[in-house]
Amino acid sequence: MILAEDLAGVAEGTPGEVMLHTGMRWVRYRVRFDNGAERGSIHRAKLVKAEEWEDFLAGRAVAEAAAEAAAEAGELAEGSSVDVGEQPSEAGDAAGGDMVVNGATLPAHLLARSAAARERLDG
């Protein structure tokens, strides 16, 4: 098995040998890595079989490229993003467009519902 993400004292990509497999529904592994470190309670998602390592890296590169492309597309759309901590403006709500806040899309109908609730509470 090869470690798919950094752990304390063990770098990503370090091969190791599974010493113990525990659990039935919540499966965890105890692994002795080639650098001499031994770690327990490692989730299967953090380990990749040696023969699948190249495919894992290629899949992760594709996913990262897709995420970057989506982020760039979101930045290019006018008025579609809000800075961290900034609340959507009333003008943005009235325009009827969806907004992206911290990477989550807020549909226009929910923004309008929230504005109406604020008006009821304030008024």
Side-chain angles (χ1 to χ4, degrees):
M1 296 294 246
I2 298 178
L3 187 62
E5 65 181 58
D6 291 336
L7 293 178
V10 186
E12 174 185 320
T14 304
E17 178 184 350
V18 174
M19 298 169 34
L20 180 66
H21 169 270
T22 58
M24 295 183 73
R25 291 188 184 193
W26 192 63
V27 178
R28 297 293 181 183
Y29 297 91
R30 182 163 194 84
V31 181
R32 180 179 296 139
F33 292 99
D34 289 357
N35 68 353
E38 190 175 309
R39 298 288 181 270
S41 193
I42 299 176
H43 191 274
R44 173 65 172 97
K46 294 182 181 184
L47 298 170
V48 178
K49 292 181 180 180
E51 57 270 10
E52 297 172 356
W53 181 243
E54 295 300 323
D55 293 335
F56 170 79
L57 292 176
R60 184 167 61 182
V62 168
E64 288 173 355
E68 286 179 18
E72 287 177 13
E75 290 173 4
L76 295 177
E78 254 183 82
S80 65
S81 66
V82 176
D83 290 335
V84 174
E86 184 178 330
Q87 295 296 321
S89 66
E90 295 297 322
D93 293 347
D98 295 348
M99 296 190 122
V100 177
V101 179
N102 296 335
T105 301
L106 302 174
H109 74 280
L110 293 180
L111 293 171
R113 186 184 300 171
S114 178
R118 282 193 305 272
E119 288 176 18
R120 282 194 311 271
L121 291 173
D122 292 339

